[in-house]
Amino acid sequence: MDINKKVLNEVSKGAKMGMDAIKFVSDKVSDSRFQRVLNVEYLKYKEIFNRVGNIYHNYDLTDDPQETNIMNKAMTWYGIQMNTMTDKSNSNISELLLQGTNMGIIEGRRLLNNNPSVDKNVRQILDDFVVMQEDIYCSALILRMYYRMISVCKYFSGKKINFYLTEEGGFLSSFSLFFIVSLTKSYC
């Protein structure tokens, strides 16, 4: 199989897996801000998925890019159901997103390192996919810290913490990230 086609198939499957996982957890998220972050992340995965589809026929005129097979999709759904059966907290859901995104980053970096001869366009999509997942990982990490620290921060500040969705799909708090990281080191 052509290396470009192989890489595009892997990126397509990874993007589809990210989209599926977000769909599976979305109905379990109770916080509207978290829900907005998930919607933005879903759109990022969808954009990568569409970019793969747009150039895939340069490498294979007869097929479409591969998607997640039904067994992997079912295992992802089942894993999310089992991991949220007793703990549907936003902190737990963000932890699940961290784990899944981390697997995607590792796979993407492996593809980048092991396939130096892919075409420039394919490499760009793969690189964008990995960077996007690293950004999502950071968002999920901050979400987890926020949900774990919210009671401490509310107690400490004496007021509600406000998070603001940025245009890039991340978010900022009324406290500085440095403050949250400092508290996290003390209380987690």
Side-chain angles (χ1 to χ4, degrees):
M1 175 186 295
D2 176 50
I3 192 67
N4 294 296
K5 181 179 168 184
K6 177 184 172 222
V7 168
L8 288 171
N9 279 326
E10 292 302 315
V11 172
S12 176
K13 289 189 284 187
K16 188 65 172 151
M17 179 68 75
M19 292 164 59
D20 290 341
I22 289 171
K23 273 197 257 182
F24 297 152
V25 300
S26 285
D27 64 333
K28 299 177 183 308
V29 172
S30 58
D31 184 60
S32 63
R33 295 165 294 192
F34 192 178
Q35 194 65 252
R36 285 193 306 267
V37 170
L38 288 176
N39 291 339
V40 169
E41 291 174 358
Y42 180 88
L43 293 174
K44 289 178 181 179
Y45 278 113
K46 187 174 183 178
E47 183 207 351
I48 294 289
F49 184 78
N50 290 337
R51 284 175 62 194
V52 169
N54 290 339
I55 71 163
Y56 192 81
H57 293 291
N58 295 342
Y59 304 99
D60 187 333
L61 295 173
T62 60
D63 253 344
D64 289 324
Q66 292 177 0
E67 293 186 18
T68 312
N69 69 42
I70 193 72
M71 186 59 131
N72 284 343
K73 194 176 209 174
M75 287 173 43
T76 300
W77 179 86
Y78 180 76
I80 289 170
Q81 301 309 309
M82 293 305 295
N83 283 303
T84 58
M85 189 176 293
T86 58
D87 184 0
K88 293 181 182 173
S89 69
N90 291 326
S91 176
N92 186 48
I93 292 170
S94 61
E95 178 70 30
L96 293 174
L97 293 173
L98 279 169
Q99 292 171 4
T101 305
N102 192 45
M103 288 188 288
I105 292 168
I106 291 168
E107 177 63 17
R109 287 285 167 204
R110 185 189 62 75
L111 286 168
L112 278 169
N113 293 335
N114 293 340
N115 299 294
S117 63
V118 295
D119 289 349
K120 181 181 175 185
N121 293 338
V122 174
R123 186 170 216 39
Q124 187 63 57
I125 290 174
L126 177 56
D127 191 52
D128 290 349
F129 181 61
V130 172
V131 169
M132 176 208 67
Q133 288 189 104
E134 290 169 342
D135 289 344
I136 289 173
Y137 185 88
C138 290
S139 290
L141 184 60
I142 293 169
L143 278 169
R144 186 184 73 177
M145 289 177 0
Y146 169 69
Y147 288 115
R148 286 188 177 175
M149 296 304 302
I150 194 165
S151 59
V152 172
C153 292
K154 280 184 177 180
Y155 172 80
F156 187 80
S157 69
K159 62 181 178 179
K160 183 178 178 185
I161 299 171
N162 295 312
F163 273 76
Y164 305 97
L165 192 63
T166 66
E167 289 182 21
E168 296 80 30
F171 50 89
L172 304 170
S173 73
S174 57
F175 293 113
S176 69
L177 181 58
F178 175 78
F179 181 72
I180 292 174
V181 169
S182 298
L183 286 175
T184 303
K185 288 179 182 176
S186 301
Y187 293 98
C188 288

